[in-house]
Amino acid sequence: MAKSYKEIMNDITTFIFDVDGVLTDGSVFVTNEGEMLRTMNIKDGYAMKAAVDSGYNVCIISGGSNEGVRVRLRNLGITDIHLGTPDKVKTFKEYTDVNNIKPEQVLYMGDDIPDYYVMQLVGLPTSPQDASPEIKGISTYISHKNGGKGAVRDVIEQVMKVQGKWMESFDGKLD
């Protein structure tokens, strides 16, 4: 019998997220100068920082290459940030090999076709509620939240709660 997503969460040590459509709602505000601005959910950021502070690996693999995104993620303590990635499968394999991470220990959240093949390699493929039908079709867990609206917080919080680390990670700290 196949494991439930909650059972799989016990084995997760690593979170990998796409950016556009997962950490953002997929919208881009384009300035007169051509700069593309995105918004990110503060609760998603809080959960990613809690995961980093609790010893989880948090990695970003995105085809986009906005440097503002890199600055935001670094400020959360995330060091494994792969932007402008044309081949997510190759980046995933290199990242897991270098860090000695087994694919079954990885939760990956993606939302669209560029995430499809890498999501088939991980232990827990997940997606936001508003992901493309193809991605939802291969996701073991589909968040009840949309991309950029708390989907990342949803999966991190669930994993940390299953592993008994959610409230433990805060220890009275406010960031």
Side-chain angles (χ1 to χ4, degrees), residues 40-55:
M40 292 184 169
N41 186 296
I42 202 78
K43 291 178 182 175
D44 287 344
Y46 192 76
M48 287 189 293
K49 182 162 183 10
V52 168
D53 290 350
S54 294

Side-chain angles (χ1 to χ4, degrees), residues 9 15 46-56 154-170:
M9 287 180 172
F15 297 98
Y46 192 76
M48 287 189 293
K49 182 162 183 10
V52 168
D53 290 350
S54 294
Y56 292 90
D154 175 35
V155 294
I156 291 173
E157 185 175 334
Q158 285 196 59
V159 167
M160 292 181 73
K161 281 181 175 178
V162 164
Q163 295 182 10
K165 297 180 181 179
W166 178 244
M167 291 305 291
E168 165 186 301
S169 66
F170 303 110

Side-chain angles (χ1 to χ4, degrees), residues 18 63 85-89 108 111-119 135:
D18 178 33
T85 303
D87 185 344
K88 291 185 177 192
V89 169
Y108 185 103
D111 73 303
D112 212 345
I113 303 304
D115 302 304
Y116 187 87
Y117 295 105
V118 70
M119 287 178 68
I135 295 302

Side-chain angles (χ1 to χ4, degrees), residues 12-153:
I12 299 303
T13 64
T14 304
F15 297 98
I16 301 179
F17 300 107
D18 178 33
V19 174
D20 292 320
V22 172
L23 288 170
T24 77
D25 68 3
S27 300
V28 221
F29 178 77
V30 183
T31 68
N32 289 337
E33 295 77 31
E35 184 178 5
M36 294 190 291
L37 306 175
R38 294 156 172 85
T39 60
M40 292 184 169
N41 186 296
I42 202 78
K43 291 178 182 175
D44 287 344
Y46 192 76
M48 287 189 293
K49 182 162 183 10
V52 168
D53 290 350
S54 294
Y56 292 90
N57 303 304
V58 179
C59 175
I60 306 301
I61 301 177
S62 176
S65 57
N66 184 291
E67 285 306 307
V69 169
R70 186 184 310 276
V71 170
R72 165 73 177 142
L73 296 169
R74 277 195 182 136
N75 286 339
L76 297 173
I78 300 168
T79 57
D80 297 307
I81 305 167
H82 305 274
L83 302 180
T85 303
D87 185 344
K88 291 185 177 192
V89 169
K90 180 181 177 193
T91 301
F92 168 78
K93 287 181 177 179
E94 289 171 356
Y95 173 74
T96 54
D97 287 349
V98 165
N99 293 287
N100 198 28
I101 299 166
K102 296 176 184 168
E104 57 269 20
Q105 297 173 308
V106 177
L107 178 152
Y108 185 103
M109 181 173 270
D111 73 303
D112 212 345
I113 303 304
D115 302 304
Y116 187 87
Y117 295 105
V118 70
M119 287 178 68
Q120 293 182 315
L121 302 175
V122 304
L124 186 54
T126 66
S127 67
Q129 178 60 44
D130 59 346
S132 72
E134 296 84 359
I135 295 302
K136 289 169 82 170
I138 62 167
S139 294
T140 302
Y141 175 76
I142 301 168
S143 176
H144 63 285
K145 302 280 189 173
N146 286 343
K149 304 294 183 190
V152 168
R153 164 74 176 254

